């Protein structure tokens, strides 16, 4: 039976299967997922999918999972549990050996022929001597070959160690990368160190610890659970938790009283217990304290901008209002100031006025924003150079920002747009790079979604009662002619968006009621693929963005992407080692500084050079980036995206999904953020009651931070 995503139907219950791997058809470059061709014990050929990226050809694998029918790829066994057997067959040994750098299939066969079934133990005893025996592996290659062998040996050992203690061996490669060749010793001493590995949670560590004999009330377990509860709070936006709440969360996680754990962690320097009782991770406590100190210095500092007498423009293309001009004056008079307001109130026009009146005095102005798309839109609207915050700070992957107190950003005025997206860590890095001769203006809308990371820097600065703030509230006449702008302000006030356009207002907003998720998805696909492109003359793969509150579910981002691609790019050529196709609309999910592709940027994969193993990524802002195919490991389908990912970006047409199944995510702030992404056309599709749920709920979740108090 076809499920809501339209891709799978289950044809069998959970079962176990033993297979020998014939071929690795596809392996995620930096992930766990793989597709294998294999043979069962009965010799039946099967396709297996799941967390199998660590498996080699020739190995025998015990799988737990079930059969599924994919409408495009046919019958497959979807593995959920994976247990490896020792590599003993000739094919398995060749698979392990050939994966070593500079060995390959020829060298693997050479070693196997010479040393027989004990080849792995023989090479382990002296890898330098044994690998040097292979024809073609000379002195220039031996160092890399030995390093590759040692990494593979560590990986084999960790896989077997995890397997023997009931932990999925699929995480072994990440464990080795994070903990090194001594991973087994490290985990034997402290199994909870495995939580430092990306994507490995407390439950996995706890299973390993219990297999190694750790008691439920062991101090190491209680400390690890308490730290995990604190990290989980950070993922909810908190910088820390009150001690009582942290201990309650830890108790729910552990099923044991965390007596004394907080004090022990504080004594070890892992956490800090603040005077107000808030418990914070020590690193985040230092970050927040440093940010507060820098903000106080700016607020206490005397103005340093050298500006000739400001002259307010009285004629020309734009004449600022009293509030807009007040914002300009405050930028000059204060080291730190804030400009806030919703859509259509003239924040961008105010920034453009800053350029017009300050540049003639020789003031060096730098503009930046958290996302690449926001930065480029800022550059277009102000006529000044704008970059992402990461690029401004010359961020080095793995090392952090090159700019800081010793080498600050060179400018007289730094303007930060979309400041509502600043979390604690990014803000701390940014303000650490503000020099003693620089003024700062933060521009943002505090009613938008809170940042994804811990903290709420803009909100805390507004709440501290020390920062000079200009709040623009008047919607300009031209903006007021847009139903999109009117809808945004109505939603922000908790009111229903307008359904009918007055005679002098452009009809750029439609509400389409659909009762069930299937009908919602069908309507969205029709609008995005045919009707809106035809009506507005837009490219459906670059000018139209579908937004939904959640990824999962019958009307979530994942389902929408599957159905939209089936219509917009059904015959795109598959890319090797990737689930993507040429012609897909895609979304970048992390900051990739090396390839100048930032988190949240969208575009289309327009070409693939098989000989060079490269793809061309045409971004929505007009750039064409050539990337190695391996860089696509952080790229996802982007016909539809979450509202959080859309922050800082805008598109000519936006379709917003409203489904009551997303109720726990539906808030006024989320809907307000979503509708503000549309420039020329906005369509709300879904259930009217879901709209009512969103309007009735303000995202009032408290975020535990100390920043406002520290600045105050």
């Amino acid at each position: 039976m076809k499920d809501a995503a339209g891709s799978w139907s289950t044809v069998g219950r959970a079962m176990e299967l033993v297979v020998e791997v014939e071929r690795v058809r596809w392996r995620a470059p930096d992930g766990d997922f793989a597709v294998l061709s294999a043979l069962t014990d009965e010799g039946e050929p099967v396709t297996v999918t799941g967390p199998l990226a660590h498996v080699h050809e020739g190995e025998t694998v015990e799988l737990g999972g079930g059969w599924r029918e994919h409408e495009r790829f046919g019958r497959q066994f979807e593995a959920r549990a994976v247990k490896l057997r020792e590599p003993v067959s000739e094919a398995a040994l060749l698979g392990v050996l050939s994966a070593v750098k500079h060995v390959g299939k020829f060298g693997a066969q050479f070693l196997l022929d010479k040393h027989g079934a004990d080849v792995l133990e023989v090479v382990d005893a002296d890898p330098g001597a044994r690998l040097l025996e292979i024809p073609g592996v000379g002195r220039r290659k031996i160092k890399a070959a030995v390093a590759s062998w040692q990494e593979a040996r560590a990986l084999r050992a960790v896989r077997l160690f995890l397997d023997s203690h009931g932990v999925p061996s699929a995480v072994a490669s990440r464990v080795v990368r994070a903990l090194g060749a001594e991973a087994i010793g490290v985990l034997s001493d402290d199994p909870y160190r495995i939580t430092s590995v990306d994507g490995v949670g407390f439950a996995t560590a706890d299973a390993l610890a219990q297999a190694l004999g750790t008691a439920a009330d062991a101090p190491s377990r209680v400390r690890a659970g308490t730290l995990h509860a604190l990290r989980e709070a950070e993922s909810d936006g908190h910088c820390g938790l009150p001690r009582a709440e942290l201990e309650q969360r830890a108790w729910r996680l552990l099923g044991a009283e965390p007596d004394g754990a907080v004090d022990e962690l504080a004594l070890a320097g892992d956490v800090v217990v603040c005077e107000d009782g808030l418990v914070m991770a020590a690193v985040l406590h230092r970050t927040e304290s440093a940010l507060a100190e820098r903000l106080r210095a700016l607020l206490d500092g005397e103005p340093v901008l050298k500006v000739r007498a400001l002259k307010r423009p009285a004629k020309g293309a734009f004449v600022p209002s009293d509030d807009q001009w007040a914002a300009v004056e405050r930028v000059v008079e204060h080291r730190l100031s804030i400009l806030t307001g919703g859509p259509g109130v003239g924040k961008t026009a105010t920034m453009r006025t800053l350029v017009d009146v300050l540049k003639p005095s020789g003031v060096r102005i730098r503009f930046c924003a958290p996302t690449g798309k926001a930065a480029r839109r800022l550059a277009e609207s102000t006529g000044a150079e704008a970059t992402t915050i990461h690029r401004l700070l010359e961020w080095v992957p793995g090392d952090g920002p090159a700019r800081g107190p010793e080498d600050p950003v060179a400018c007289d005025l730094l303007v930060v747009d979309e400041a509502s997206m600043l979390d604690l860590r990014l803000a701390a890095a940014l303000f650490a790079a503000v020099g003693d001769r620089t003024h700062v203006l933060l521009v943002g809308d505090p009613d938008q979604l809170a940042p994804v990371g811990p903290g709420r820097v803009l909100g805390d600065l507004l709440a501290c009662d020390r920062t000079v703030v200009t709040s623009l509230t008047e919607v300009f006449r031209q903006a007021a002619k847009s139903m999109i702008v009117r809808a945004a302000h109505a939603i922000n006030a908790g009111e229903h968006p307008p359904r009918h356009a007055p005679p002098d207002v452009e009809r750029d907003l439609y509400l389409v009621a659909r009762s069930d998720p299937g009908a919602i998805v069908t309507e969205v696909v029709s609008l995005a693929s045919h009707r809106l492109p035809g009506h507005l003359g837009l490219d459906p793969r670059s000018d139209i963005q579908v937004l939904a509150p959640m990824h999962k579910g019958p009307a979530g981002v994942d389902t929408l992407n599957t159905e939209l691609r089936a219509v917009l790019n059904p015959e795109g050529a598959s890319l090797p080692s990737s689930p993507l196709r040429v012609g897909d609309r895609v979304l970048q999910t992390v900051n990739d500084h090396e390839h100048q592709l930032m988190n949240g940027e969208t575009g289309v994969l327009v070409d693939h050079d098989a000989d060079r193993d490269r793809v061309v990524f045409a971004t929505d802002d007009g750039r064409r980036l050539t990337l190695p195919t391996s860089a696509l490991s952080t790229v996802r389908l982007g016909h539809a995206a979450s509202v959080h990912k859309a922050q800082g970006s805008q598109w000519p047409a936006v379709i917003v999904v409203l489904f009551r199944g997303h109720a726990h995510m539906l808030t006024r702030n989320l809907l307000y953020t979503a509708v503000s992404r549309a420039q020329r056309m906005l369509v709300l599709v879904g259930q009217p009651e879901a709209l009512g749920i969103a309007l009735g709920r303000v995202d009032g979740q408290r975020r535990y931070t100390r920043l406002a108090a520290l600045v105050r």
Side-chain angles (χ1 to χ4, degrees):
M1 180 177 174
K2 193 174 181 181
D3 72 3
S7 295
W8 294 103
S9 63
T10 302
V11 297
R13 61 184 180 179
M15 60 176 294
E16 294 182 353
L17 189 69
V18 177
V19 300
E20 181 179 335
V21 179
E22 285 192 307
R23 184 166 66 92
V24 179
R25 292 165 56 178
W26 180 77
R27 178 185 283 125
D30 292 312
D32 297 325
F33 187 83
V35 180
L36 312 177
S37 292
L39 289 175
T40 67
D41 284 346
E42 291 77 28
E44 177 189 0
V46 295
T47 297
V48 182
T49 67
L52 298 153
H54 59 298
V55 176
H56 293 289
E57 294 174 0
E59 291 191 295
T60 300
V61 191
E62 299 174 15
L63 307 171
W67 292 103
R68 292 194 166 210
E69 189 75 28
H70 191 282
E71 63 181 18
R72 184 177 177 200
F73 300 111
R75 190 170 186 253
Q76 299 179 350
F77 189 85
E78 184 185 35
R80 291 181 287 276
V82 182
K83 183 176 178 62
L84 291 164
R85 292 182 177 177
E86 283 271 21
V88 293
S89 72
E90 181 175 319
L93 292 170
L94 287 172
V96 172
L97 292 166
S98 62
V100 176
K101 191 170 186 179
H102 300 314
V103 173
K105 292 183 178 179
F106 172 80
Q109 190 66 59
F110 174 88
L111 290 172
L112 184 62
D113 291 343
K114 183 167 184 177
H115 301 293
D118 296 328
V119 61
L120 300 183
E121 291 78 4
V122 171
V123 179
D124 276 341
D126 191 349
R130 300 291 77 78
L131 296 178
L132 199 56
E133 295 172 351
I134 301 171
V137 178
R139 294 293 177 186
R140 286 192 310 109
K141 297 179 179 179
I142 189 61
K143 185 177 180 181
V146 170
S148 178
W149 177 268
Q150 290 172 338
E151 182 180 347
R153 177 171 60 182
L155 181 57
R156 290 202 318 275
V158 170
R159 281 164 48 187
L160 294 170
F161 171 78
L162 295 176
D163 262 343
S164 65
H165 291 95
V167 178
S169 60
V171 303
S173 57
R174 282 179 283 150
V175 169
V176 172
R177 284 199 298 270
L179 302 180
E182 304 303 318
I184 294 176
V186 170
L187 295 178
S188 297
D189 291 339
D190 182 5
Y192 293 99
R193 282 285 302 278
I194 200 172
T195 58
S196 64
V197 177
D198 184 37
V200 179
F202 179 79
T204 299
D206 211 29
L208 176 60
Q210 291 182 39
L212 290 169
T214 303
D217 60 350
S220 62
R221 180 174 186 265
V222 175
R223 288 193 299 270
T226 303
L227 277 178
H228 180 74
L230 197 56
R231 283 194 293 269
E232 288 292 295
E234 287 182 25
S235 68
D236 293 334
H238 301 298
C239 295
L241 285 176
R243 181 172 185 144
E245 183 173 339
L246 173 59
E247 290 177 342
Q248 186 180 40
R249 289 192 183 202
W251 182 85
R252 288 200 301 266
L253 177 71
L254 295 164
E257 290 290 345
D259 292 337
V262 171
D263 293 329
E264 291 175 15
L265 290 167
L267 190 62
D270 294 319
V271 305
V272 174
V273 182
C274 306
E275 292 180 0
D276 59 0
L278 197 71
V279 182
M280 299 180 65
V283 173
L284 206 59
H285 178 270
R286 290 194 295 271
T287 301
E288 188 178 50
S289 300
L291 173 59
E293 182 179 357
R294 188 69 193 117
L295 291 170
R296 288 196 303 268
L298 287 169
L299 291 169
D300 294 338
E302 294 295 323
V304 292
L305 273 185
K306 303 298 182 184
V307 181
R308 294 189 291 270
L310 284 175
K311 185 175 181 180
R312 178 175 175 176
K315 59 182 179 179
F318 175 73
V319 177
S321 68
D322 291 345
D323 286 341
Q324 289 173 317
W325 186 246
V328 173
E329 292 179 323
R330 288 163 180 164
V331 165
V332 176
E333 295 166 357
H334 300 273
R335 293 284 309 280
L336 175 62
S337 57
I338 297 176
L339 175 65
T340 70
V345 298
K347 297 191 299 296
T348 300
T350 304
M351 289 186 279
R352 190 166 59 242
T353 300
L354 277 170
V355 175
D356 293 341
V357 301
L358 294 182
K359 274 207 166 181
S361 296
V363 175
R364 297 172 300 165
I365 307 176
R366 296 288 299 271
F367 287 88
C368 65
T371 68
K373 198 162 187 179
R376 281 179 281 278
R377 191 177 70 246
L378 185 60
E380 293 170 0
S381 58
T382 62
E385 180 187 357
T387 67
T388 64
I389 294 174
H390 286 83
R391 193 169 302 165
L392 177 81
L393 300 178
E394 299 176 17
W395 208 285
V396 179
D399 293 333
R403 295 285 182 177
E406 304 302 320
D407 189 12
V409 173
C411 64
D412 302 310
L413 171 61
L414 179 62
V415 181
V416 186
D417 198 13
E418 299 284 357
S420 63
M421 297 178 66
L422 287 175
D423 67 16
L424 183 65
R425 294 186 178 93
L426 184 58
L430 177 64
F431 279 96
V434 173
D436 294 334
R437 308 293 300 175
T438 298
H439 286 216
V440 179
L441 172 65
L442 300 180
V443 182
D445 185 346
D447 294 320
Q448 301 246 7
L449 286 171
V452 175
R456 49 164 195 175
V457 174
L458 181 63
D460 283 342
L461 281 173
L462 292 172
C464 76
D465 298 326
R466 285 203 59 196
T467 316
V468 176
V469 181
T470 305
S471 297
L472 302 180
T473 57
E474 178 188 356
V475 179
F476 278 77
R477 185 179 305 164
Q478 188 62 34
K481 292 182 179 180
S482 166
M483 286 183 70
I484 296 174
V485 173
R486 292 186 174 208
H489 286 275
I491 289 167
N492 201 30
E495 302 169 358
H496 279 266
R499 288 181 172 273
H500 306 288
D504 61 336
V505 174
E506 183 180 357
R507 184 66 188 271
D508 53 9
L509 164 65
Y510 292 87
L511 292 87
V512 181
R514 291 293 180 267
S515 59
D516 63 84
I520 292 172
V521 172
T522 299
E523 183 69 20
V524 168
V525 171
S526 174
L527 284 165
S529 60
H530 300 299
R531 288 150 58 194
L532 288 183
H535 178 65
L536 299 172
L538 299 176
D539 184 337
R541 293 188 303 169
S542 59
D543 298 332
I544 298 173
Q545 185 63 52
V546 177
L547 301 178
M550 293 175 58
H551 280 268
K552 303 301 181 183
V557 170
D558 295 342
T559 296
L560 290 162
N561 268 322
T562 298
E563 299 301 329
L564 285 164
R565 179 163 76 168
V567 174
L568 293 172
N569 191 32
E571 303 299 332
S574 296
L575 296 172
S577 302
S578 172
L580 300 171
R581 309 174 192 165
V582 174
D584 278 344
R585 175 170 178 75
V586 293
L587 167 76
Q588 173 71 358
T589 59
V590 300
N591 287 327
D592 184 346
H593 303 281
E594 180 182 355
H595 300 109
Q596 300 182 8
L597 195 58
M598 298 295 108
N599 186 7
E601 291 201 85
T602 48
V604 179
L605 299 177
V606 296
D607 191 26
H608 173 236
D609 184 339
D611 293 334
R612 300 172 62 205
D613 198 24
R614 292 181 174 273
V615 294
V616 177
F617 188 128
T619 64
D620 285 351
D621 56 20
R623 294 176 301 144
R624 292 175 72 89
L625 305 177
T626 301
L627 312 172
T629 307
S630 60
L632 296 180
S633 61
T634 56
V635 173
R636 302 289 181 266
L637 275 178
H639 300 285
S642 69
V643 180
H644 283 85
K645 281 294 184 188
Q647 278 189 280
S649 298
Q650 285 189 309
W651 295 271
V654 170
I655 303 168
V656 180
V657 172
L658 296 170
F659 173 48
R660 61 177 176 268
H662 300 156
H664 74 279
M665 291 288 291
L666 287 172
T667 64
R668 191 183 304 174
N669 312 73
L670 181 134
L671 184 58
Y672 173 66
T673 301
V675 303
S676 303
R677 304 307 97 202
Q679 295 170 312
R680 291 176 53 191
M681 179 64 68
L682 170 67
V683 186
L684 305 178
V685 180
Q687 300 161 333
E689 58 268 38
L691 175 59
I693 292 171
L695 293 175
R697 293 176 57 208
V698 178
D699 184 10
Q701 179 193 13
R702 178 181 181 183
R703 289 194 170 199
Y704 290 110
T705 79
R706 300 180 309 138
L707 188 62
L710 291 174
V711 173
R712 189 183 300 121

